[in-house]
Amino acid sequence: MKKSRVCQLLDIEYPIFQGGMAWIADASLAAAVSEAGGLGIITGTAPTDWVRAEIRKAKKLTNKPFGVNIMLMDIQADEIAKMVCEEGVKLVTTGAGSPGKYMEMWKSHGVKVIPVVASVALAKRMEKAGADAIIAEGTESGGHVGQLTTMALVPQVVDAVNIPVLAAGGIGDGRGVAASFMLGAEGVQLGTRFLVAKECTVHQNYKERVIKAKDIDTEVTGRSTGHPIRVIKNKLTREFIKLEKEGASVEQLEALGRGCLSKAVKGDVDFGSVMAGQISGLINKEQSCKEIIEEIMREASDRFQDFGGNNE
């Protein structure tokens, strides 16, 4: 596993990415993940000056590689796409669109580009556009989700492209990592597990909701708007689902959800959008990023040995 193409591509010790969670993935979390041997990622869904400041903070906290996630539908995507070049960031993950128009600029600055995809068709498009690897994310993940499960999506993407594939969605321990590699992935991206990391600066209320969550405590809202989001059930989700069943307009639903992730991050877990994946039911403690990664890699190594595999 340590010799996967993902590790070679990015010069990291372990093939574990931390998801670039909006409003959550800052320099503290990203640097801690990178220091532990994984690949930390700072969210780019924020004002450009804030993202620039977090990049500079991360550089002071670690000399290891880290990246920035850019949501391409964001109104500041153009600014942030240029800024990462100015700041010498060497990896960008992207979502919500095609990074094609930025590829020439990023490549000229030595930036590796790894898009998040939810379908085989999009994976092929990203490879053709010049992506260095692909993150195939299943619907089990927290936040914005697609239709296919990780189990179904990952092997189909692996078969469809020649570049390395990372699996995401529903992966929270070493068993999930081992399963992802069995499906053909060469790395994984984890979001929800890192939400409860000690270095994650999200409000403790948010962490406690994840830790206390059971297997059926997440649901997807917003399918009628075309932007489905997986969150932990609360008063907000009940109101959202009620409005959807009543045939509320897209505008009404978007108004209800506007700013709710920020509320949750600041501690309002009743009327905030507590984005988390189905893996929440497996998470029962707060650990440092180093402890999380070492535990996951130990579990994954044990699984490969159980099956007589080679964990090198």
Side-chain angles (χ1 to χ4, degrees):
M1 294 175 66
K2 294 181 183 179
K3 295 180 180 178
S4 78
R5 287 188 293 170
V6 170
C7 291
Q8 295 170 359
L9 177 69
L10 301 171
D11 192 25
I12 56 177
E13 186 175 1
Y14 303 122
I16 297 177
F17 283 23
Q18 159 251 312
M21 299 167 283
W23 290 94
I24 296 171
D26 60 9
S28 171
L29 179 59
V33 171
S34 291
E35 276 293 293
L39 194 287
I41 299 175
I42 294 170
T43 177
T45 309
T48 305
D49 288 345
W50 182 91
V51 180
R52 189 190 300 272
E54 293 301 304
I55 291 170
R56 293 178 178 180
K57 286 179 189 176
K59 288 180 178 179
K60 292 179 181 179
L61 294 170
T62 184
N63 59 5
K64 295 184 178 181
F66 65 88
V68 171
N69 174 257
I70 300 178
M71 293 296 287
L72 299 170
M73 65 185 292
D74 193 277
I75 58 172
Q76 297 179 119
D78 288 350
E79 287 183 19
I80 294 176
K82 180 180 178 182
M83 181 271 292
V84 295
C85 297
E86 296 169 352
E87 294 298 321
V89 173
K90 295 305 179 187
L91 169 74
V92 166
T93 61
T94 67
S98 172
K101 70 176 182 177
Y102 306 122
M103 279 295 191
E104 184 177 348
M105 175 179 66
W106 283 339
K107 294 296 184 179
S108 69
H109 285 83
V111 180
K112 300 290 193 303
V113 184
I114 305 182
V116 178
V117 306
S119 71
V120 168
L122 188 54
K124 288 180 176 179
R125 280 178 55 200
M126 295 302 98
E127 181 179 37
K128 188 175 181 180
D132 295 281
I134 293 289
I135 299 170
E137 185 176 71
T139 194
E140 299 94 325
S141 65
H144 294 277
V145 295
Q147 294 277 1
L148 290 174
T149 65
T150 302
M151 179 70 77
L153 176 65
V154 171
Q156 293 185 70
V157 171
V158 168
D159 289 348
V161 300
N162 294 309
I163 54 180
V165 174
L166 294 95
I171 304 166
D173 60 13
R175 292 172 295 182
V177 173
S180 298
F181 273 69
M182 290 294 187
L183 295 175
E186 298 183 53
V188 296
Q189 177 169 282
L190 282 62
T192 307
R193 181 73 187 266
F194 285 119
L195 273 173
V196 301
K198 291 178 180 178
E199 297 89 349
C200 182
T201 57
V202 73
H203 197 281
Q204 193 65 29
N205 289 352
Y206 200 130
K207 293 184 180 183
E208 288 300 319
R209 285 304 294 267
V210 173
I211 289 171
K212 293 177 181 178
K214 298 181 177 62
D215 56 341
I216 59 171
D217 281 353
T218 70
E219 61 188 342
V220 176
T221 62
R223 290 202 186 277
S224 63
T225 69
H227 301 290
I229 297 174
R230 184 176 299 284
V231 292
I232 291 179
K233 298 174 184 177
N234 61 7
K235 293 177 181 178
L236 173 67
T237 64
R238 287 197 290 272
E239 178 63 19
F240 204 102
I241 290 170
K242 177 176 175 289
L243 286 177
E244 282 191 295
K245 288 180 178 178
E246 293 173 352
S249 67
V250 172
E251 291 75 19
Q252 287 176 294
L253 294 169
E254 288 182 344
L256 177 62
R258 191 171 296 123
C260 286
L261 175 57
S262 176
K263 288 181 183 179
V265 170
K266 294 173 183 176
D268 184 352
V269 293
D270 290 322
F271 295 98
S273 184
V274 186
M275 295 185 186
Q278 289 183 320
I279 208 67
S280 298
L282 272 183
I283 298 171
N284 55 28
K285 57 189 173 183
E286 190 173 352
Q287 297 170 286
S288 69
C289 290
K290 186 174 187 292
E291 289 169 335
I292 290 171
I293 289 176
E294 288 181 349
E295 181 177 280
I296 286 173
M297 293 305 299
R298 183 172 60 253
E299 291 170 347
S301 178
D302 288 346
R303 289 290 166 174
F304 275 108
Q305 290 176 1
D306 287 345
F307 286 101
N310 183 350
N311 66 354
E312 291 298 320

